[in-house]
Amino acid sequence: MNFPQELKYTADHEWIKLDADGKAIVGITDFAQHELGDIVYVDINTVGQSLSKGDVFGSVEAVKTVSDLFMPIDGEVLEVNTEIEKSPELVNTDPYDRGWIVKVKPADAALSDDLLTMEAYTELIGQ
């Protein structure tokens, strides 16, 4: 499985990174998409809402299950990846690039210290 070093991770299996504009890009990890199986639908109805860390911002529906998505930081959901609305399988095939899920305006300029490094995340999932 792939876990890019430059990303931060959560125990709920989301990843996050800051882009050049200071926005945070959020998706689910390779481990999460593998556990879920074939993703058929991504439901995000929180665009424009300010949410707290740990709040549900949407869900992913796979062939056999539905899983909630949790905010890794405090912030406002700015946009949903329109590519995954048309092709939700991108979350399976390219979870760290074309399969990102939302962009968020962070409430704080720096990412939270309690996010996991790649090493801590892989240890958490037993990889």
Side-chain angles (χ1 to χ4, degrees):
M1 282 188 215
N2 180 24
F3 304 105
Q5 182 80 34
E6 69 275 10
L7 303 179
K8 295 292 186 176
Y9 300 89
T10 71
D12 294 316
H13 311 292
E14 283 85 21
W15 61 263
I16 184 169
K17 71 175 175 179
L18 290 178
D19 69 10
D21 297 332
K23 295 176 187 159
I25 302 169
V26 178
I28 64 169
T29 67
D30 196 17
F31 175 81
Q33 70 78 21
H34 179 75
E35 291 293 305
L36 288 168
D38 293 336
I39 294 172
V40 294
Y41 184 67
V42 180
D43 181 29
I44 309 295
N45 57 8
T46 53
V47 173
Q49 294 182 26
S50 290
L51 301 172
S52 297
K53 179 182 176 177
D55 288 351
V56 173
F57 70 86
S59 62
V60 241
E61 183 177 334
V63 173
K64 297 179 184 173
T65 190
V66 175
S67 183
D68 286 336
L69 298 166
F70 300 96
M71 284 288 284
I73 58 170
D74 295 344
E76 178 187 351
V77 179
L78 297 174
E79 72 178 273
V80 176
N81 180 355
T82 56
E83 277 195 86
I84 63 169
E85 291 175 346
K86 298 175 194 128
S87 302
E89 66 276 4
L90 287 172
V91 177
N92 290 114
T93 61
D94 198 3
Y96 301 115
D97 190 24
R98 292 183 59 211
W100 63 271
I101 297 176
V102 293
K103 286 191 180 178
V104 175
K105 179 182 176 184
D108 296 318
L111 292 180
S112 174
D113 287 341
D114 61 350
L115 292 168
L116 303 172
T117 62
M118 182 271 295
E119 293 84 4
Y121 180 71
T122 56
E123 184 176 318
L124 173 81
I125 61 170
Q127 294 289 310

